[in-house]
Amino acid sequence: MFEFGDLLFRPVEKEDLKILHKWENDFELIMYSRSNPMNFVNMAQLEKQYEEWVKDEKQLHFIVELVDSKVAIGIALIRRGEWGNVKSADIGTYIGEKKYQGKGLGRQITVALLEMSFNQLNAERCEAWSVEYNHRAHKALETCGFRKAGVVRQAAFVNGRKWDGFHFDILRDEYFSVRMKLLKQTLGKRMNKYIEKHCTIESN
Ligand SMILES: CC(C)(COP(=O)(O)OP(=O)(O)OC[C@H]1O[C@@H](n2cnc3c(N)ncnc32)[C@H](O)[C@@H]1OP(=O)(O)O)[C@@H](O)C(=O)NCCC(=O)NCCS
């Protein structure tokens, strides 16, 4: 389990499929997170998908829980890859419990995923995909140091028209140049404790 600020990242258990069933069939949530809102899934399909996750060591799926209340608020994912001898981490998330959106938790999740990718999994680059209309996700990524690296034109069809897909990335060095600032912004007073536990780092 990985604790970061208000959040605990824990493995997805079979019992979590019930809450995933709710989130994965939420039209708006899936419209923003994956641009295929009509892709409803039943319990049998989710169980099959879960079995695939269990087998695939390259994909780390987490339930994101609030540390204090133990309420599950969403999911997060890191897909580890390697291309051209460079290790990468493709990250994704959604906050399924909508009352927890817009409170800065998306930013905390993103920094936590960057910490896991660069400080634990030794990735050289981190990537994220988002659809053109998802301005909040773009902002969350950009405030964590991601840059828009490319556009895949007309990659999604939602609500009667085509939309571009945006590709964001951040390199290891770029992350480490803003890391302390991001840790301070997201963890505040809890930063030193986090550093003690997780880092051997040069002081800033
Ligand atoms: C995207 C998501 C993870 C962001 O998490 P969040 O907790 O809601 O967002 P935050 O409160 O951390 O805000 C992130 C930034 O977006 C900004 N923001 C909020 N609403 C916005 C909007 N409509 N347009 C542009 N920026 C917006 C915030 O001001 C904040 O920027 P700041 O840190 O500079 O103030 C969350 O909203 C979510 O799960 N959305 C639905 C699914 C989804 O889109 N998943 C991501 C797929 S790539």
Side-chain angles (χ1 to χ4, degrees), residues 6 9 19 24 28 50 59 85 87 90 94 107 114 117 124 128 134 137 145 151 167 172 176 181 189:
D6 301 313
F9 292 74
I19 196 158
E24 293 286 325
E28 193 192 18
Y50 176 76
Q59 291 195 38
N85 302 317
K87 277 198 215 179
D90 187 353
Y94 65 62
R107 193 176 192 194
L114 285 166
S117 301
E124 287 299 327
N134 197 348
V151 174
H167 180 227
R172 187 179 180 81
F176 278 93
K181 189 181 90 190
K189 285 184 189 148

Side-chain angles (χ1 to χ4, degrees), residues 28-30 32-34 92-96 100-110 128-131 134-137 139-141 143:
E28 193 192 18
L29 190 62
I30 301 306
Y32 280 98
S33 58
R34 284 195 225 106
T93 186
Y94 65 62
I95 298 176
Y100 295 103
Q101 291 180 1
K103 296 182 188 318
L105 293 171
R107 193 176 192 194
Q108 260 189 56
I109 294 171
T110 308
W129 288 89
S130 176
V131 69
N134 197 348
H135 305 295
R136 183 160 51 179
K139 189 78 198 296
L141 289 166
T143 55

Side-chain angles (χ1 to χ4, degrees), residues 115 119 172-181 183 191 195 198-204:
E115 278 294 303
N119 199 46
R172 187 179 180 81
D173 289 352
E174 290 167 351
Y175 177 63
F176 278 93
S177 72
V178 292
R179 182 189 193 201
M180 285 302 141
K181 189 181 90 190
L183 289 178
M191 177 173 137
I195 288 174
H198 292 283
C199 313
T200 313
I201 44 168
E202 46 307 339
S203 57
N204 203 345

Side-chain angles (χ1 to χ4, degrees), residues 14 17 41-55:
K14 239 183 173 160
L17 295 186
V41 281
N42 62 29
M43 208 40 141
Q45 287 167 313
L46 276 176
E47 278 168 11
K48 206 170 150 201
Q49 198 179 69
Y50 176 76
E51 296 306 328
E52 296 298 317
W53 292 354
V54 172
K55 281 188 256 163

